[in-house]
Amino acid sequence: MRYFARKVAFFLATLWAVVTLNFLIPRLQPGDPAEIMVKRLAGKDSQLDPAQVQAMRAMLGTPDGSLWSQYTGYLGELAHGNFGLSYTYYPFPVTEVIGQAIWWTVVLVVVTQVLSFAVGTVLGAYAAWRRNTRFDSVVTLGSTFLGTLQPFWIALLLIYLLGYTLGWFPTSGGYEAATPGFNGPFIQEAVSHSFLPALALLVVTPIGWVLGMRNTMIMNLGEDYIRLARAKGLPDRRIALGYAARNALLPSVTGFALALGGVLGGAILVETAFDYPGLGRLMGEAVENKDYPLLQTLMLLTTAGVLLANLVADLMYGVLDPRARRAQS
């Protein structure tokens, strides 16, 4: 029980630190969201009127007073689930803005993460089992090369080739004229609009799983229990899947849990390139417009998701592997 209590206490302490940093970081950035909105409404070259800026601050509910009073007020609002109004999408609440975008990101990123994990793990395991062969060389060198590419660059390339040149897929947005809901036309449009963003992510996201699984499995293939299994005459398939791959999969499962925890952060550059209506694009807009409430909520969702996934992975390790509990007792 000491192991689990320590993990939960560490999670709570880290979550408090995250909430504090989430409050401080946006306020340390230069710029005033009220001034940004006044310039947007009046024109970039117009002279700023202090009265207009002050009125905009009052309308947006921009925090004022000492930093400590803002911090205590922020914690109080957070405890009541009140995340404020979005400056960018005023007068809509932050929760409503995020609620409309979150499912776009969840579907896009979760699907690509699951496919990337499955494909990368299988390729990495087979490359390790067939190490020093042509297949291993192609997978390893190809993964290393693709790992140097940026998803944003791949997104622009896909937009040019498959969008503008060939015209096979739409290049921006999440849907066109269909009524949002669980109906055939909307689902068809949503799938066609999400194909290119998903493809841009699928080109690079399996790379880490491929190389990680391959390297871990090669290390496991040199362990004594693998030699014993060979000496007992077990079939190669059983040794590869039931012994080497099974043990090599544990670190990948932890990484997969953390990757799913970071889903709420979205894919900022890819979503921005395709003007995809997800959380990544919202994050970029919040940074650009100094939208403190929206930015803080998105950062909190992302970090809390990663921390929660890390906690679940640690607790699962404690249940599945007693050595982890004894090592920290």
Side-chain angles (χ1 to χ4, degrees):
M1 290 299 296
R2 183 181 301 178
Y3 170 84
F4 298 106
R6 184 177 301 173
K7 292 299 181 181
V8 172
F10 180 77
F11 166 77
L12 295 176
T14 309
L15 183 61
W16 170 78
V18 164
V19 169
T20 303
L21 290 175
N22 189 43
F23 167 80
L24 290 174
I25 290 177
R27 285 163 174 76
L28 295 177
Q29 295 179 349
D32 186 343
E35 293 183 0
I36 294 175
M37 292 197 67
V38 169
K39 285 184 178 180
R40 183 188 303 171
L41 295 174
K44 293 183 178 180
D45 298 329
S46 61
Q47 188 72 22
L48 277 178
D49 185 354
Q52 292 179 346
V53 174
Q54 189 63 30
M56 182 64 70
R57 290 197 186 100
M59 185 183 70
L60 295 177
T62 306
D64 54 5
S66 66
L67 196 62
W68 175 252
S69 64
Q70 293 183 36
Y71 178 64
T72 54
Y74 171 71
L75 292 180
E77 296 293 337
L78 195 62
H80 289 87
N82 182 14
F83 298 96
L85 301 178
S86 171
Y87 299 165
T88 307
Y89 295 93
Y90 185 86
F92 293 100
V94 167
T95 51
E96 184 175 341
V97 174
I98 293 178
Q100 294 179 356
I102 189 170
W103 295 111
W104 294 95
T105 291
V106 167
V107 172
L108 173 66
V109 183
V110 167
V111 170
T112 55
Q113 286 289 354
V114 171
L115 290 176
S116 299
F117 177 74
V119 172
T121 299
V122 171
L123 287 178
Y126 191 71
W129 185 251
R130 304 285 297 173
R131 62 190 183 280
N132 299 327
T133 62
R134 180 176 297 179
F135 178 83
D136 180 33
S137 300
V138 171
V139 170
T140 304
L141 293 177
S143 300
T144 304
F145 171 73
L146 290 177
T148 62
L149 304 179
Q150 296 297 321
F152 183 73
W153 181 83
I154 296 174
L156 296 179
L157 187 63
L158 292 176
I159 290 174
Y160 176 75
L161 292 178
L162 302 183
Y164 291 129
T165 303
L166 299 176
W168 289 353
F169 298 96
T171 58
S172 64
Y175 63 97
E176 293 179 2
T179 303
F182 195 73
N183 56 77
F186 175 74
I187 293 176
Q188 183 178 359
E189 289 187 5
V191 170
S192 63
H193 280 76
S194 62
F195 183 83
L196 290 184
L199 184 59
L201 293 174
L202 283 173
V203 171
V204 294
T205 46
I207 307 306
W209 307 121
V210 171
L211 298 179
M213 185 66 181
R214 177 187 179 275
N215 295 337
T216 307
M217 186 167 171
I218 287 178
M219 293 177 58
N220 287 337
L221 287 172
E223 297 291 338
D224 292 337
Y225 65 88
I226 298 294
R227 299 190 186 96
L228 178 61
R230 292 183 188 276
K232 292 171 63 176
L234 295 178
D236 287 346
R237 183 175 181 178
R238 184 176 178 184
I239 296 174
L241 298 178
Y243 290 82
R246 182 178 180 180
N247 287 280
L249 193 61
L250 286 175
S252 296
V253 170
T254 304
F256 181 63
L258 295 178
L260 287 182
V263 161
L264 297 180
I268 298 177
L269 296 180
V270 171
E271 291 185 13
T272 302
F274 290 98
D275 196 27
Y276 191 76
L279 296 180
R281 191 188 69 174
L282 280 185
M283 180 76 78
E285 292 177 349
V287 172
E288 181 181 358
N289 297 323
K290 310 297 180 186
D291 192 341
Y292 293 158
L294 182 59
L295 181 60
Q296 287 178 160
T297 307
L298 289 172
M299 291 172 61
L300 185 60
L301 281 176
T302 304
T303 52
V306 173
L307 288 175
L308 186 60
N310 191 28
L311 175 64
V312 171
D314 287 340
L315 296 180
M316 288 179 61
Y317 253 89
V319 173
L320 299 174
D321 190 352
R323 294 174 298 179
R325 297 197 301 267
R326 290 197 296 265
Q328 298 189 23
S329 60

